[in-house]
Amino acid sequence: MEVKVDINLAPYKERVNRARVIKPIGKVTRVIGLMIEVQGIIARIGEVCDIVVQEEAEPVRAEVVGFRDRHSLLMPLGELRGIFPGSAVVPTGRNLTVKVGHHLLGKVLDGLGRPIDGAMDVGPGEEFPVDNRPPHPLKRQRIHTVLPTGVRAVDGLLTCGKGQRIGIFAGSGVGKSTLLGMIARHGSADVNVIALIGERGREVLEFLEEDLGPAGMARSVIVAATSDQPALVRLKGAFVATAVAEYFRDQGLDVMLMMDSVTRFAMAQREVGLAVGEPPATKGYTPSVFALLPKLLERSGMGPKGSITAFYTVLVDGDDLNEPIADAVRGILDGHIVLTRKLAASNHYPAIDILQSVSRLMPDIASEEHKVQAGIIRDLLATYIQSEDLINIGAYVKGSNPKIDEAIEKHDRIISFLKQSPSEYSGYEETLNHLAALAAGGR
């Protein structure tokens, strides 16, 4: 008896049609700086190629970033060591991917998505593209739920929503990484994805042990592309971290994505752009930097299911909040938290300048009572700062202005509310109760 079995061959036919039966092999003709010129291959922008350095050694991976005079321009996804004129170049026919899955939790990956310690089995997980399009704007869910961070100053006066994108703007050494660690350790997200882009090598282990801690690490994925890595690896590190966060979001989870820092990402793209031949524009940054920023930042946020709440640090050059990268990022994100050196110098941590910071979604997600109380505290802070010089030199006479009198009376308690040690956790309800007491004149 003959049994007929229906087999759908369409997917296999498609793969056969896309397969390159004959792979064109090119050769390296010139290396200038980080740019490799290759002749004899047909490869598209973003395609990964293997450069053979020695028969027994691992090939050097490189990505096509441009073309010049019928030559393909490649940048290495690793060290240039071992490449020589005439080195064979083989296109792989695919873009960069990363293996994703729940096995990544608690792991530290490099800028290309490979485990840094080499201990993780490469078998589990599924291949996930690194370069993805942002969710369709009409298919994004609206943001309507508060996401507690455990940081009083943020939850009370800069309330964030689940799926919001926030920038943390600060100069060097003001406490960006410490604030990120507090949010990662105390936040209520299902998964943390933390990208350390272009930072110092010693800061990676320091961040893991001191800022994040074992509890935060257990539900986190770390992507570390340190400052000694090639520009393209630092660039890809940001996209790899975003792709990992997108994978968990597509599983319906609430993800916290933290990137330190967007400025180093922009500097890496400037290196790539200048090497390809782009003209420098605003303060030496190439036009592609400002085109790439929204492509990265818009990928986070709400999706059809699940969410990515993102915190991006921006290293402001010379504490200038209006420098080009800070200005561009501030225009894309849904709010900004400003850390100032003046507050840090006075031992006020986290050094958040409440009056310069804003959460654009707080008016939509906070209760009316909460918004009124936060407005009272902001008003009292602004009043005190405007009259601070008169108060400090003793020129202000008590009773001259009731508003200033109230600001002076409550100032120490407001500052105490805004200060918080890295290990201290403040629940959302506790924060709101404290805020209400301050606004009403209690405590």
Side-chain angles (χ1 to χ4, degrees), residues 75-371:
M75 290 197 77
L77 295 166
E79 295 294 332
L80 278 169
R81 191 178 294 114
I83 296 176
F84 57 90
S87 292
V89 181
V90 183
T92 62
R94 58 185 180 84
N95 289 18
L96 188 66
T97 60
V98 58
K99 277 204 169 183
V100 293
H102 287 270
H103 65 282
L104 292 179
L105 294 175
K107 299 296 190 298
V108 183
L109 310 178
D110 67 8
L112 303 179
R114 302 170 301 195
I116 284 183
D117 57 9
M120 187 176 69
D121 182 12
V122 295
E126 60 180 274
E127 295 288 347
F128 197 79
V130 168
D131 295 315
N132 298 304
R133 292 181 180 275
H136 192 282
L138 299 183
K139 294 183 180 178
R140 287 183 186 261
Q141 302 174 67
R142 291 285 302 275
I143 298 174
H144 51 75
T145 308
V146 172
L147 182 80
T149 63
V151 181
R152 277 193 300 270
V154 176
D155 290 344
L157 301 171
L158 303 166
T159 311
C160 300
K162 192 179 293 182
Q164 188 173 352
R165 301 162 305 147
I166 310 285
I168 300 176
F169 295 75
S172 57
V174 181
K176 299 185 302 299
S177 298
T178 303
L179 179 58
L180 279 186
M182 290 175 69
I183 295 171
R185 189 164 55 247
H186 302 315
S188 57
D190 299 320
V191 177
N192 296 322
V193 180
I194 302 169
L196 303 175
I197 307 300
E199 299 301 309
R200 304 172 188 88
R202 70 163 180 84
E203 288 186 337
V204 177
L205 190 60
E206 188 178 291
F207 182 85
L208 299 183
E209 294 183 351
E210 295 185 15
D211 296 330
L212 195 57
M217 187 66 190
R219 56 191 177 94
S220 301
V221 182
I222 314 297
V223 178
T226 51
S227 58
D228 60 300
Q229 297 293 310
L232 202 57
V233 175
R234 282 177 272 140
L235 203 62
K236 291 300 178 185
F239 288 112
V240 165
T242 305
V244 172
E246 287 171 330
Y247 165 77
F248 286 110
R249 176 180 64 187
D250 292 346
Q251 306 299 308
L253 300 177
D254 294 321
V255 183
M256 183 84 76
L257 172 64
M258 303 178 183
M259 188 173 297
D260 187 12
S261 68
V262 174
T263 307
R264 308 290 191 198
F265 167 84
M267 289 178 175
Q269 177 58 29
R270 177 173 63 183
E271 285 184 45
V272 173
L274 291 173
V276 173
E278 273 192 275
T282 312
K283 283 199 173 180
Y285 288 100
T286 56
S288 63
V289 173
F290 301 99
L292 199 62
L293 280 173
K295 291 182 180 178
L296 173 72
L297 303 178
E298 284 289 347
R299 285 172 60 178
S300 55
M302 297 296 289
K305 60 177 182 177
S307 67
I308 298 177
T309 306
F311 286 85
Y312 298 99
T313 69
V314 181
L315 182 65
V316 292
D317 188 17
D319 295 337
D320 178 14
L321 291 171
N322 295 314
E323 60 97 22
I325 299 302
D327 202 42
V329 171
R330 191 166 54 240
I332 297 169
L333 299 180
D334 307 318
H336 49 274
I337 297 172
V338 177
L339 309 184
T340 62
R341 199 172 298 279
K342 180 181 178 182
L343 287 174
S346 61
N347 198 37
H348 181 125
Y349 290 104
I352 300 174
D353 189 326
I354 296 297
L355 299 180
Q356 288 196 69
S357 308
V358 67
S359 169
R360 292 179 181 172
L361 286 170
M362 184 176 176
D364 299 329
I365 59 178
S367 66
E368 289 300 323
E369 185 181 15
H370 182 183
K371 287 186 284 187

Side-chain angles (χ1 to χ4, degrees), residues 48-105:
V48 176
C49 300
D50 289 333
I51 304 176
V52 181
V53 289
Q54 291 179 359
E55 290 186 4
E56 66 277 4
E58 283 287 321
V60 174
R61 289 205 292 174
E63 183 178 295
V64 179
V65 295
F67 308 98
R68 181 188 299 146
D69 298 331
R70 297 187 179 181
H71 286 69
S72 298
L73 303 180
L74 280 63
M75 290 197 77
L77 295 166
E79 295 294 332
L80 278 169
R81 191 178 294 114
I83 296 176
F84 57 90
S87 292
V89 181
V90 183
T92 62
R94 58 185 180 84
N95 289 18
L96 188 66
T97 60
V98 58
K99 277 204 169 183
V100 293
H102 287 270
H103 65 282
L104 292 179
L105 294 175

